[in-house]
Amino acid sequence: MKLLLAPRIQDLLYLTVLLLTSYLLIFHNLGKAQIRIWDEATYANNAIDMYEQPGNPLVIRHLGEPDLYNVKPPLVIWLQALNMHIWGVNEWAIRFPSALFGLFTVLTLYGFCSHVLNNRLVGFLAGMILLSSAGFIRNHVVRTGDLDAALVFFSMLLLMAFWALMLTNPKNKKPYYILLAVGIVGAFLSKGIAALFFFPAMGFMAFFPLGYKPLKDFSLYGVVLLSLLGCGAYYGLRELAVPGYWPVLRDSEFIRINTEVMSWHLQAADYYWQELKNKHFAHLFWGLPLVPLSFLFVAYRSRSFYFLVYVCFAVLGYFLLISYPPVKLSWYDAPLLPVLALALAFSANQIWETLWKRISLKYPLIRKMEGIYLLIPLFLIPLYAPYSKLWKDMRWAESHAQGLELEGAFLKYLAQSRPELDSLKILKNESYTEHYDPVLFYIRAFQHEQKLGKIELIKAPPFSPGEWVMVAKPEDMAQIDSLYAYTLEEIWQDARLIYIEDTL
């Protein structure tokens, strides 16, 4: 179904809407919320280390020492450190790469549909669906400084490069080989072996060729093999640089997937089904039956038929692969969301186009109408509610800080409300080093940004009269109550800023 406008005008209109929506939902207030506990805080501190002392770029460090808590490859850390040279040491620099990869994913969807499927409308609708997905516009994907947005983008790049080969069988295959290699290496450098999660499904696709026969393309084998060898070489080089890396990697990346580390990682077999149904793709989950239904509206063995086959293989293959292990985390289904968005947009367009042709033949009065002018509103109206909710979340990005984020969030608040503080001690005693990462990021960031003067992390008293102290945990506050006379200067959520008057 084609819009009665020149292709350049279509691109301009569609891309303008996609870019504006991407800005509002991905980039707006990106740096407003505090750095999140666990992964984002860890990567943020790794990035500061790389920013301060680049050293060996293959080795991720934490406070100057090789970090064996984060064993993932360093692509996102590189980009975060680079952003610190541009934006400074702050939340925006940490999150901007994720947001950019989110935008790139939307544009890749549109470009694939425009140039391979020859259907700009499907690309536009797929992008709009993806931007309405709560599993995509969320913490740990495009809204925080984690690794998953990069993984999603590069996974889509390699998958769509392979689809383009399968569907078009171009004479000049080199550009597609290059895109495939970039996708494999980029996905690996983003999040390790998760780069391979679409490979089983792609292997099945190879037995259903349209014109291109991948099983007989030895150049393709070479591209994939060289890409994988390059990925494997990274592990070897990092082990050489930091002896002992490989055993930790083995336990974290390979054995851990079937081993209980934290009880809340273990989930039922239908966990991702429920996540998609109730959270991540809830607003359009009801529309997914249109995908198998659309097989009735395409010619057997046509390009559209084979594309639907490939999409179904990709969805089922990836879904079953991540559903099998008992260890499951909410954001692991993120690479599925662009494929689901594309499948739904393509299927709905095929069904609507066929039905509209039949209706227009039967009723001459509407024969001159363009069905596209009804399809776009029919698609966008159901997206209003999820867009509205996501926009509300983005507009008011600050949220109640989790316990381990509280000191960092309060420190960020104090940098704005009490800039005159020239020294501050933070009372915080934790069992694990990574529990300090959120507040440690702000201490290090404010040193670079010259805010709040001297800030120290203190695990236990004593304190001297005249010192400013931040306390967040009730047990730490109990120590202060028993040992000191003080003035309570400020309360923020569950954290307190106190001024030590004297000892008791």
Side-chain angles (χ1 to χ4, degrees):
M1 190 175 295
K2 297 180 179 179
L3 190 65
L4 296 180
L5 293 171
R8 289 185 180 180
I9 301 300
Q10 292 181 48
D11 284 333
L12 179 62
L13 291 174
Y14 288 148
L15 289 173
T16 298
V17 175
L18 288 172
L19 290 171
L20 178 61
T21 308
S22 295
Y23 167 76
L24 293 175
L25 296 178
I26 298 178
F27 292 89
H28 182 68
N29 278 346
L30 188 64
K32 191 172 183 180
Q34 70 272 5
I35 289 291
R36 303 294 184 180
I37 184 57
W38 305 115
D39 295 351
E40 183 183 41
T42 297
Y43 304 146
N45 281 286
N46 294 151
I48 292 178
D49 269 72
M50 194 162 286
Y51 169 70
E52 292 175 341
Q53 297 177 343
N56 185 343
L58 299 181
V59 179
I60 294 174
R61 299 182 181 275
H62 189 279
L63 295 178
E65 297 297 324
D67 188 2
L68 293 179
Y69 176 76
N70 174 20
V71 296
K72 301 295 186 194
L75 175 62
V76 174
I77 307 300
W78 291 341
L79 296 175
Q80 290 172 334
L82 175 63
N83 272 270
M84 290 178 181
H85 287 282
I86 301 172
W87 309 109
V89 183
N90 52 47
E91 300 91 347
W92 176 269
I94 296 300
R95 294 168 179 162
F96 185 70
S98 292
L100 205 57
F101 281 123
L103 175 61
F104 288 166
T105 303
V106 172
L107 297 179
T108 298
L109 274 177
Y110 183 79
F112 172 80
C113 294
S114 177
H115 296 288
V116 177
L117 300 183
N118 296 317
N119 197 319
R120 291 173 172 83
L121 173 62
V122 169
F124 170 70
L125 295 177
M128 295 298 286
I129 292 171
L130 181 61
L131 287 168
S132 70
S133 302
F136 185 69
I137 309 294
R138 59 163 290 176
N139 294 338
H140 224 293
V141 187
V142 302
R143 293 285 302 181
T144 51
D146 294 280
L147 313 180
D148 297 85
L151 174 67
V152 171
F153 167 69
F154 286 112
S155 296
M156 290 304 97
L157 188 65
L158 74 90
L159 188 60
M160 291 179 186
F162 185 70
W163 281 347
L165 284 169
M166 297 284 286
L167 292 168
T168 63
N169 190 22
K171 291 183 179 179
N172 181 15
K173 297 181 175 60
K174 288 183 180 180
Y176 300 95
Y177 293 153
I178 293 171
L179 290 176
L180 187 65
V182 170
I184 294 171
V185 175
F188 171 81
L189 288 177
S190 299
K191 209 171 181 183
I193 63 169
L196 308 180
F197 283 7
F198 276 114
F199 270 46
M202 292 166 65
F204 281 105
M205 294 175 207
F207 291 94
F208 293 84
L210 177 60
Y212 169 66
K213 295 179 173 55
L215 296 176
K216 297 182 178 180
D217 186 354
F218 293 101
S219 296
L220 178 66
Y221 294 158
V223 169
V224 174
L225 181 60
L226 287 174
S227 300
L228 294 178
L229 286 174
C231 296
Y234 167 78
Y235 285 147
L237 291 172
R238 190 159 172 184
E239 170 64 25
L240 289 174
V242 184
Y245 168 76
W246 172 252
V248 178
L249 173 74
R250 180 194 60 214
D251 293 343
S252 176
E253 195 91 334
F254 302 101
I255 296 176
R256 178 173 175 259
I257 198 167
N258 277 310
T259 304
E260 179 179 347
V261 177
M262 299 180 185
S263 59
W264 60 274
H265 286 181
L266 303 182
Q267 303 291 346
D270 67 342
Y271 175 74
Y272 292 113
W273 175 270
Q274 298 298 332
E275 287 289 286
L276 290 168
K277 179 183 177 182
N278 300 318
K279 297 178 183 178
H280 299 167
F281 210 70
H283 60 298
L284 287 174
F285 192 83
W286 56 267
L288 291 179
L290 293 177
V291 179
L293 180 64
S294 64
F295 278 99
L296 301 176
F297 294 83
V298 298
Y300 181 61
R301 290 184 176 272
S302 65
R303 175 184 288 194
S304 296
F305 173 85
Y306 278 103
F307 177 66
L308 286 169
V309 170
Y310 301 153
V311 166
C312 290
F313 272 129
V315 170
L316 291 175
Y318 190 94
F319 181 80
L320 292 174
L321 184 63
I322 63 173
S323 295
Y324 171 73
V327 174
K328 299 178 177 71
L329 291 171
S330 177
W331 49 89
Y332 283 6
D333 64 6
L336 266 182
L337 299 174
V339 185
L340 291 176
L342 178 56
L344 185 54
F346 182 83
S347 300
N349 182 70
Q350 289 294 129
I351 294 171
W352 180 263
E353 189 174 56
T354 303
L355 292 177
W356 186 260
K357 286 180 181 178
R358 294 176 183 176
I359 293 171
S360 63
L361 288 174
K362 188 174 181 180
Y363 299 100
L365 289 177
I366 63 172
R367 191 171 298 169
K368 294 182 179 181
M369 293 178 60
E370 277 295 316
I372 187 173
Y373 295 113
L374 290 176
L375 179 60
I376 291 179
L378 284 174
F379 242 92
L380 296 187
I381 288 172
L383 301 184
Y384 174 77
Y387 278 143
S388 178
K389 184 179 184 306
L390 289 170
W391 169 244
K392 183 178 179 181
D393 293 341
M394 297 312 102
R395 187 178 179 189
W396 310 108
E398 290 179 345
S399 60
H400 187 86
Q402 298 183 41
L404 295 172
E405 298 171 355
L406 189 52
E407 293 90 353
F410 190 24
L411 199 56
K412 178 180 180 178
Y413 169 80
L414 289 176
Q416 298 176 345
S417 67
R418 305 292 291 267
E420 72 280 2
L421 286 175
D422 58 0
S423 67
L424 176 66
K425 291 186 175 180
I426 301 171
L427 180 58
K428 183 177 178 64
N429 189 9
E430 301 291 348
S431 302
Y432 300 97
T433 302
E434 55 271 17
H435 289 180
Y436 292 98
D437 280 340
V439 68
L440 184 60
F441 168 80
Y442 285 103
I443 292 173
R444 301 175 75 186
F446 291 167
Q447 287 174 346
H448 285 279
E449 302 298 315
Q450 297 181 347
K451 295 180 179 179
L452 295 183
K454 183 180 180 182
I455 308 172
E456 295 181 75
L457 269 174
I458 305 295
K459 292 186 177 182
F463 298 108
S464 301
E467 289 185 329
W468 293 90
V469 180
M470 177 197 295
V471 186
K473 297 171 70 174
E475 56 268 34
D476 292 334
M477 193 64 223
Q479 290 188 71
I480 299 293
D481 287 332
S482 65
L483 295 173
Y484 300 100
Y486 62 87
T487 302
L488 181 59
E489 292 287 334
E490 194 153 1
I491 298 177
W492 188 83
Q493 296 188 17
D494 296 325
R496 290 165 171 79
L497 175 67
I498 62 176
Y499 180 77
I500 301 294
E501 301 282 359
D502 205 347
T503 56
L504 292 178

